[in-house]
Amino acid sequence: MRKTWRCIPWGATIPLRADVTGDDLRSLAKASRDVGRTRRLLALSAIHDGRSRSEAAKLGGVTPQIIRDWMVRFNAGGPAGLANRKAPGKAPLL
């Protein structure tokens, strides 16, 4: 059986999860000790409060494409999905 890919067309908006509010995201950002996760949560809270993605990108210091990636990660894994991941790096020789 062939696997089909579901592509999101350009310009289509990805809605944020509805189970958290902007205030919830800001309180999670305040409690987080990870600077990167805090930045991601604050950018997404701005989107949840009605700001545009380009404004959230300026707030987070990234491009709108990265904001979109953060939204996909957040929708898939919730706030825990925004935690820093370990970069794969070079495989050890031994």
Side-chain angles (χ1 to χ4, degrees), residues 26-84:
R26 279 187 288 281
S27 65
L28 286 169
K30 186 175 181 181
S32 177
R33 300 185 68 87
D34 180 13
V35 177
R37 184 171 182 229
T38 300
R39 181 174 54 134
R40 293 179 200 110
L41 287 167
L42 289 175
L44 292 184
S45 71
I47 292 172
H48 203 287
D49 291 340
R51 296 173 92 176
S52 70
R53 293 181 187 184
S54 59
E55 288 176 327
K58 288 179 186 176
L59 178 70
V62 294
T63 63
Q65 176 63 41
I66 293 175
I67 293 291
R68 181 200 171 280
D69 296 341
W70 290 351
M71 291 176 71
V72 170
R73 284 174 55 186
F74 177 73
N75 287 339
L82 294 176
N84 285 338

Side-chain angles (χ1 to χ4, degrees), residues 14-25:
I14 300 172
L16 278 176
R17 293 172 67 143
D19 59 343
V20 293
T21 65
D23 291 333
D24 293 337
L25 293 173

